[in-house]
Amino acid sequence: VGGVLLLVLSFRWGLALILNPNALPQMQSLLANPLNPQSETTITHKALEQSVTEAGLVLGDPVNLSDPQTDTDWLLFPIHEANTNNIVRLRLLQPAEGAGNANDLVDITDVAVPPFASDAILAPFSPEERQAKVAPSEFWAQRLNRLPDPPAPTTLHWLTLEGQWSQQGSRLQYGQILVVDAEKSRLDLLAVWSSPVGQKPQWIDLDGEGMTDLV
């Protein structure tokens, strides 16, 4: 019986590798933990803050993302550099269901936040204006804010990283769009934006056909 089961499993895994070569890491994980292949890492808020502090960083206040359609809550934490307040990482967690400790959080995903190139942030200015400004070679975000929800229902949560740069009486607001996909448990960094008049990205119906665009 054991030999037959081993033969069947070998055949199934061999076929899976032919159809999907990327399945090998998943199979290795299953072999390492066959009784609980979907185990989740939980952490308390205090332990999370301690681990961030030990890395020389600061855990910021989370943005709460609730989704009535899926009845889920998400907490998106910005992680800052201690001496500059620059956001260098984002970490997405979710309150653990049925946990004995109400502070238990499930670690979903995290992503590094790179600096923004000077050319991208200064793009609204003319070449002459850019040459006249003494700007840093890279810009960082210091704040994390939610954007208004689009008019059409969606499971996506739209946010923006934000920063501000001032010189010679002018003030430039800039940042980067990010989206949390509740269905796929994903966090994606999207377009970098900047505005010399301090306008944040907004939903606008550009063609008058009722479909809004994030501008």
Side-chain angles (χ1 to χ4, degrees), residues 12-27:
R12 290 187 62 185
W13 288 347
L15 181 60
L17 283 173
I18 293 172
L19 298 177
N20 179 17
N22 295 325
L24 183 58
Q26 301 173 7
M27 294 176 187

Side-chain angles (χ1 to χ4, degrees), residues 1 6 8 39 43 64-65 70 72 78 81 83 86 89 106 121-122 126 133 140 150 162 185 191 196 212:
V1 173
L6 182 60
V8 171
S39 59
I43 188 172
N64 193 306
L65 307 174
T70 58
T72 55
E81 282 184 335
N83 57 338
N86 294 335
R89 200 162 198 88
V106 178
I121 299 303
L122 299 179
S126 66
K133 295 182 182 297
W140 292 86
E162 295 179 13
S185 301
T212 53

